[in-house]
């Protein structure tokens, strides 16, 4: 804002003399004031009301920055709160999945219990496993080792007839 | 003027005095509230507004030796109500009754109590609890807890045991290792208003629970199942109401299977009979009968009194101390070696040897083999058996104890005796708990006690005698083709419960070592009062069925060095 004293156009057109009241007596410690001189003042149309100071740019900038900070803080707060909610939701989902996994694990254990496997095997008609045959090592001092492929000596075998019940596993 | 001037002073003084008195009263009250009664008032206040909820610790899992869970805790929910918040108890009870399957009257009673907390249902499975909460009934809530489940069903139920509603072990390993399995419960402390609602920004503290340790048993679930299956069939075939069996690794003392019949469902223990709950292998003592003759033989051989080849004149009866003792079957007076005496399970022959052994030596041997004290296998309520000191033995005890009457043992004690003979004379404490696991790490475990009971020479002699029992004697029904087996039958009458003497009931036993030349397994089978009062016809075939599976399952090779062409070795196991 340009001060009125510098507005030369107004100076030429509207010049008033006004009486300036006598200034009160100054303190003796202060130096004597200069003698009063008549001032040339100008009436400016649309001038702001007396007492209201025009906003300063720094103030406006500060206000904008402050408002932005407040908004930013609020946004961060909202985002943090939102992520907290998300985290809680995810944790809840993890817990639910873990519980589901535990239940499924128990189901697997129940289904793979020997008694159930035995029962199912019997139901579907599985038969006992065949007899086990063991190959005996060649006796010490034998000329040729007992093998199943040489044919020179039939390997000694111990045959164990199976009396297993169906579905009890085994080899 | 002076009087008018004194009035304000008086008034001031009076006001000052009143203020002083008031201040003193206030300070006194403050002292009472803040210092004298502070503790009690704080407690009273805390009681009114602080709610403390115990957070249960996850109970440890019980595993078999291959880490297959035998008992496991799964998440569940405890459904509760705050009756102060229940808007309409009638409709709420209706809805809950349908959802939970609980009688409406019971729910209504709880929903109308003057309390801020009542349980509606415990151990509710999570999906069901979620469905109930989805009804959005005012005043109904749920908090997490755990439920104990036994995914293997009745398998090893008497060994594993079971827990009560509050997850406290009531029987079996669940009870014996309760302090280990239970963990340390946590606690949640919250400040609540009179209606039980949490006060915003009020005091809240949570102490997290510490999970219990896992217990790994020495049991193998497959061997356990095969043993129980064999016992089930034996009950049907022999008419015995009860049976028990135990399988031990003689080198380590580890119990591989411990089975009891009739079966027990640990999930329904409330409706189980007392006899089905007992683990008879360790909790019940019985008179072992002829299986005890091996200890007499151990005392005789270890003491240099007899050898398996020593020959004795054996009549079928013997009068001793005013009583007549008999062999099981009548026979003419025989000249039998000690081997043959054991093979024929002769009472008279054994009594004759025992007379030479003497009571103190026999008692010492019984004690060295661990009779008369619990094995400390790690199972609660283990019986020590009954073995009195020799000074309390009657004259006839010196004839009955050597043949297994007049003393009482548990099947586990007697299996441990045979395991010691299989282990070259070193008795090893049977163990049921392989290790404890905390946070996935195995805990240090104390080594089982072991001690030499007899020399390896004596043990070898005894194994030879046991082989003779199975090859030529009463143990023939236990034979398994391809394997050398050492074992002993035992048939003992059951003492009367409330009187002296014996009933007509019998207990039949077979205990065997396989392969006898290189022992890998010791098994004992005990049957209560089968229709046929002979161990050879009841316990021995059952033993064979169990061990036949175990040999294949444990990959135990046959007894090499035997002539495979020998027809005797390839015969069927049936007698």
């Amino acid at each position: 804002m340009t001060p009125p004293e510098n507005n030369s156009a107004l100076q030429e057109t509207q010049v008033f003399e006004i009486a300036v009241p006598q200034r009160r007596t100054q303190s003796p410690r202060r130096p004597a004031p200069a003698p009063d001189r008549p001032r040339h003042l100008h009436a400016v149309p649309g001038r702001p009301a007396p007492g209201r100071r025009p906003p300063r740019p720094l103030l406006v900038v500060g206000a904008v920055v402050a408002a932005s900070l407040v908004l930013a803080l609020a946004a961060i707060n909202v985002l943090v709160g939102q992520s907290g909610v998300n985290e809680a939701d995810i944790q809840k989902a993890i817990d639910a999945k873990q519980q589901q996994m535990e239940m499924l694990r128990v189901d697997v254990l129940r289904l793979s219990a020997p008694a159930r496997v035995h029962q199912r095997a019997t139901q579907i008609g599985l038969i006992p496993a065949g007899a086990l045959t063991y190959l005996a090592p060649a006796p010490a001092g034998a000329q040729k080792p007992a093998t199943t492929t040489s044919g020179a000596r039939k390997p000694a075998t111990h045959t164990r007839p199976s009396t297993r019940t169906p579905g009890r596993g085994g080899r | 003027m002076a009087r008018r001037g004194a009035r304000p002073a008086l008034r001031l003084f009076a006001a000052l005095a009143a203020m002083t008195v008031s201040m003193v009263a206030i300070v006194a009250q403050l002292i009472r509230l803040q210092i004298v009664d502070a503790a009690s008032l704080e407690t009273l206040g805390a009681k009114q507004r602080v709610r403390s909820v115990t957070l249960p610790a996850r109970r440890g899992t019980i595993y078999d030796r291959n880490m297959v869970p035998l008992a496991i805790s799964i998440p569940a929910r405890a459904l509760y109500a705050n009756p102060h918040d229940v808007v309409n108890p009638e409709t709420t009870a209706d809805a809950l009754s349908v959802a939970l399957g609980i009688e409406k009257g019971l729910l209504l009673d709880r929903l109308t109590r003057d309390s801020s907390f009542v349980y509606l249902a415990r151990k509710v499975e999570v999906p069901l609890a979620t469905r109930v909460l989805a009804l959005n009934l005012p005043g109904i809530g749920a908090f997490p807890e755990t439920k104990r489940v036994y995914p293997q069903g009745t398998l090893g139920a008497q060994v594993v045991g079971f827990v009560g509603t509050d997850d406290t072990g009531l029987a079996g390993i669940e009870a014996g290792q309760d302090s280990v399995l239970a963990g340390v419960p946590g606690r949640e402390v919250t400040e609540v208003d009179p209606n039980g609602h949490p006060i915003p920004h009020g005091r809240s503290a949570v102490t997290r629970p510490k999970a219990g340790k896992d217990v790994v048993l020495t049991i193998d679930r497959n061997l356990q199942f095969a043993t129980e299956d064999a016992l089930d069939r034996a009950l049907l075939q022999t008419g015995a109401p009860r049976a028990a069996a135990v399988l031990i690794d003689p080198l380590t003392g580890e119990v591989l299977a411990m089975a009891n019949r009739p079966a027990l469902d640990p999930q329904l223990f409330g409706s189980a009979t007392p006899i089905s709950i007992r683990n008879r292998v360790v909790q019940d003592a019985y008179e072992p009968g002829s299986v005890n003759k091996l200890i007499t033989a151990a005392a005789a051989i270890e003491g240099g009194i007899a050898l398996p080849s020593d020959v004795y004149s054996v009549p079928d009866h013997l009068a001793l101390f005013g009583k007549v003792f008999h062999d099981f079957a009548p026979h003419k007076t025989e000249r039998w070696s000690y081997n043959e005496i054991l093979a024929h399970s002769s009472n008279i022959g054994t009594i004759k040897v025992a007379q030479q052994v003497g009571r103190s030596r026999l008692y010492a041997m019984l004690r060295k083999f661990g009779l008369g004290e619990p094995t400390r296998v790690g199972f609660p309520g283990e019986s020590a058996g009954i073995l009195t000191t020799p000074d309390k033995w009657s004259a006839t005890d010196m004839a009955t104890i050597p043949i297994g009457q007049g003393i009482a043992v548990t099947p586990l004690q007697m299996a441990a005796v045979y395991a010691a003979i299989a282990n070259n004379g070193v008795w090893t404490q049977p163990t049921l708990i392989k290790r404890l696991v905390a946070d996935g790490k195995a805990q240090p475990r104390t080594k089982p006690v072991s001690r030499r009971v007899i020399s390896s020479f004596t043990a070898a002699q005894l194994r030879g005698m046991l082989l003779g029992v199975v090859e030529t004697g009463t143990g023939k029904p236990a034979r398994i083709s391809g394997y050398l087996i050492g074992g002993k039958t035992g048939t003992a009458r059951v003492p009367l419960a409330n009187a002296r003497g014996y009933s007509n009931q019998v207990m039949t036993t077979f205990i065997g070592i396989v392969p006898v030349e290189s022992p890998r397994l010791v098994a004992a089978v005990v049957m209560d009062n089968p229709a046929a009062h002979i161990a050879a016809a009841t316990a021995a075939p059952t033993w064979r069925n169990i061990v036949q599976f175990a040999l294949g399952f444990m990959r135990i090779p046959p007894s090499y060095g035997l002539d495979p062409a020998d027809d005797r070795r390839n015969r069927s196991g049936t007698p």
Side-chain angles (χ1 to χ4, degrees):
Chain A
M1 298 290 281
T2 310
E5 289 84 356
N6 294 340
N7 193 330
S8 56
L10 289 175
Q11 269 184 339
E12 287 172 6
T13 54
Q14 295 174 343
V15 176
F16 300 96
E17 276 193 9
I18 59 168
V20 176
Q22 191 72 32
R23 300 185 73 175
R24 61 179 181 152
T25 312
Q26 295 295 316
S27 165
R29 280 177 289 184
R30 292 193 175 184
D36 289 340
R37 287 179 299 179
R39 291 186 180 178
H40 299 279
L41 301 175
H42 311 272
V44 180
R47 190 176 171 182
R52 281 188 64 190
R53 295 179 66 186
R56 293 178 183 171
L58 194 62
L59 196 67
V60 173
V61 171
V64 168
V65 169
S68 303
L69 279 173
V70 168
L71 281 173
L73 282 172
I76 288 168
N77 202 24
V78 167
L79 286 173
V80 168
Q82 185 63 43
S83 62
V85 170
N86 288 343
E87 190 187 336
D89 286 347
I90 290 167
Q91 190 59 49
K92 212 178 268 184
I94 289 170
D95 289 348
K97 292 290 178 195
Q98 277 179 342
Q99 287 176 4
Q100 196 180 0
M101 195 181 76
E102 287 280 333
M103 301 295 287
L104 290 172
R105 187 178 172 220
V106 171
D107 283 347
V108 168
L109 287 168
R110 280 180 177 144
L111 293 171
S112 62
R116 194 211 169 253
V117 172
H118 182 216
Q119 187 189 21
R120 285 288 300 148
T122 308
Q123 280 174 355
I124 62 176
L126 291 185
I127 58 168
L132 297 178
T133 302
Y134 291 89
L135 301 178
Q143 288 185 343
K144 289 184 179 179
T147 63
T148 54
T149 54
S150 69
R153 178 189 165 91
K154 191 179 177 181
T157 59
H158 298 289
T159 304
R160 185 157 67 84
S162 173
T163 57
R164 292 181 185 184
T165 51
R168 195 125 35 94
R171 278 172 271 193
Chain B
M1 263 320 261
R3 194 179 170 189
R4 285 176 68 189
R7 277 179 191 161
L10 191 64
R11 284 201 295 272
L12 277 170
F13 180 76
L16 185 66
M19 284 175 68
T20 306
V21 169
S22 302
M23 285 302 293
V24 168
I26 289 168
V27 168
Q29 185 70 349
L30 274 173
I31 289 170
R32 187 183 74 80
L33 293 174
Q34 295 291 328
I35 298 171
V36 179
D37 294 342
S40 62
L41 289 171
E42 191 178 346
T43 309
L44 193 65
K47 266 187 190 172
Q48 287 175 345
R49 71 179 191 286
V50 175
R51 184 173 67 193
S52 176
V53 177
T54 301
L55 303 176
R58 188 189 71 83
R59 191 173 174 83
T61 301
I62 300 176
Y63 293 98
D64 86 335
R65 66 186 297 115
N66 299 312
M67 300 303 284
V68 176
L70 303 175
I72 189 169
S73 292
I74 60 169
R77 295 287 181 271
L79 288 174
Y80 68 89
N82 180 348
H84 292 155
D85 287 351
V86 175
V87 177
N88 189 336
E90 275 285 341
T91 53
T92 305
D94 269 331
L96 289 174
S97 177
V98 171
L100 296 172
I102 301 175
E103 193 189 336
K104 184 189 167 187
L106 188 70
L107 290 168
L108 196 58
D109 173 57
R110 292 181 184 177
L111 292 172
T112 51
R113 279 185 201 167
D114 184 19
S115 168
S116 63
F117 183 91
V118 287
Y119 277 116
L120 297 175
R122 300 286 307 270
K123 315 285 183 192
V124 180
E125 290 191 0
V126 175
L128 176 58
T130 308
R131 284 202 298 276
V132 170
L133 293 178
L135 297 172
N136 287 323
L137 298 167
I140 306 301
F143 63 79
E145 61 177 356
T146 58
K147 181 182 182 182
R148 199 67 164 167
V149 293
Y150 302 91
Q152 309 294 328
T154 62
L155 188 90
Q158 291 90 346
V159 178
V160 174
F162 46 81
V163 298
T165 311
D166 56 355
D167 272 0
T168 304
L170 298 180
I173 292 294
E174 293 273 30
Q177 297 294 321
D178 192 51
S179 59
V180 172
L181 289 162
V184 182
R187 187 162 287 276
E188 183 178 13
V189 179
T190 321
E191 276 188 291
V192 293
D193 67 13
N195 287 325
H197 301 134
I199 297 171
H201 305 295
R203 200 174 81 183
S204 175
V206 177
T207 309
R208 292 226 165 262
K210 191 179 175 190
K213 292 177 187 170
D214 299 329
V215 175
V216 182
L217 301 182
T218 57
I219 298 288
D220 182 298
R221 75 162 174 170
N222 293 302
L223 289 175
Q224 181 74 24
F225 172 72
T227 307
E228 291 180 355
D229 187 47
L231 290 185
D232 280 335
R233 282 182 280 136
L235 294 190
L236 288 173
Q237 288 163 3
T238 65
R242 292 173 294 273
V246 58
L247 270 64
I248 295 182
D249 179 340
L251 305 181
T252 62
E254 289 181 353
V255 175
L256 302 174
M258 188 180 272
N260 292 270
R261 280 301 184 256
L264 165 71
D265 185 344
Q267 223 75 64
L268 303 170
F269 67 89
S271 56
T273 57
I275 196 70
S276 69
I277 290 174
R278 294 186 71 78
N279 180 3
R280 309 190 71 218
V281 175
V282 293
Q283 291 183 315
D284 286 355
Y286 77 111
E287 296 200 2
S290 297
V291 289
N292 200 51
K293 288 172 182 168
L294 196 69
I295 300 180
T296 307
I301 296 170
E302 186 75 0
I305 293 158
L307 281 172
S309 55
D310 290 352
V311 176
Y312 293 82
S313 172
V314 184
D316 65 350
H317 66 279
L318 182 68
L320 209 61
F321 312 116
K323 281 198 168 183
V324 179
F325 294 88
H326 296 271
D327 272 346
F328 185 77
H331 60 81
K332 64 181 194 305
T333 299
E334 302 276 4
R335 287 189 61 75
W336 279 338
S337 68
Y338 196 11
N339 247 331
E340 290 169 311
I341 287 172
L342 202 70
H344 292 101
S345 198
S346 168
N347 293 335
I348 306 305
T350 304
I351 290 169
K352 279 192 158 186
V353 175
Q355 299 302 312
Q356 293 176 274
V357 171
R359 65 174 60 192
S360 59
R361 198 175 276 150
L362 178 63
Y363 175 77
M365 189 56 71
L366 291 164
R367 290 289 297 160
K368 281 169 83 176
F369 271 115
L371 304 193
E373 62 178 330
T375 63
R376 295 176 183 83
V377 69
F379 196 87
E382 186 183 5
S383 170
I386 301 169
L387 176 63
T388 53
T389 49
D391 57 302
K392 291 176 184 165
W393 288 4
S394 67
T396 53
D397 279 343
M398 202 44 219
T400 59
I401 289 175
I403 60 172
Q405 299 265 194
I407 62 166
V409 301
T410 64
L412 182 65
Q413 281 178 322
M414 199 45 89
V417 171
Y418 280 67
I421 290 161
N423 194 24
N424 268 332
V426 176
W427 183 90
T428 303
Q429 181 185 21
T431 50
L432 196 53
I433 295 167
K434 198 168 178 67
R435 61 179 176 271
L436 303 178
V437 179
D439 300 325
K441 291 177 186 170
Q443 302 284 293
R445 175 174 168 263
T446 53
K447 203 178 169 187
V449 175
S450 66
R451 59 174 183 266
R452 179 162 286 285
V453 178
I454 51 174
S455 66
S456 55
F457 170 79
T458 305
Q461 298 295 310
L462 292 170
R463 287 199 301 272
M465 294 173 82
L466 291 174
L467 176 64
V469 173
V470 176
E471 288 296 303
T472 61
T474 56
K476 284 179 187 173
R479 285 185 307 206
I480 297 172
S481 179
Y483 293 88
L484 287 179
I485 293 164
K488 184 72 191 82
T489 52
T491 306
R493 290 170 69 188
V494 178
L496 292 166
N498 301 313
R500 288 181 66 86
Y502 288 88
S503 68
N504 289 326
Q505 297 189 353
V506 296
M507 300 277 282
T508 63
T509 306
F510 188 86
I511 307 178
I513 301 168
V514 62
V516 74
E517 76 281 8
S518 177
R520 293 277 308 277
L521 186 66
V522 168
V525 173
V526 180
M527 305 193 71
D528 277 24
N529 201 33
H533 284 191
I534 309 168
T538 54
T542 307
W543 183 95
R544 187 192 63 230
N545 291 338
I546 293 167
V547 171
Q548 204 158 35
F549 175 85
L551 290 169
F553 182 78
M554 294 172 70
R555 309 288 195 265
I556 297 175
S559 301
Y560 292 121
L562 301 167
D563 182 3
D566 185 347
D567 189 46
R568 287 182 307 146
R569 298 251 53 83
N570 279 327
R571 69 198 154 201
S572 160
T574 47

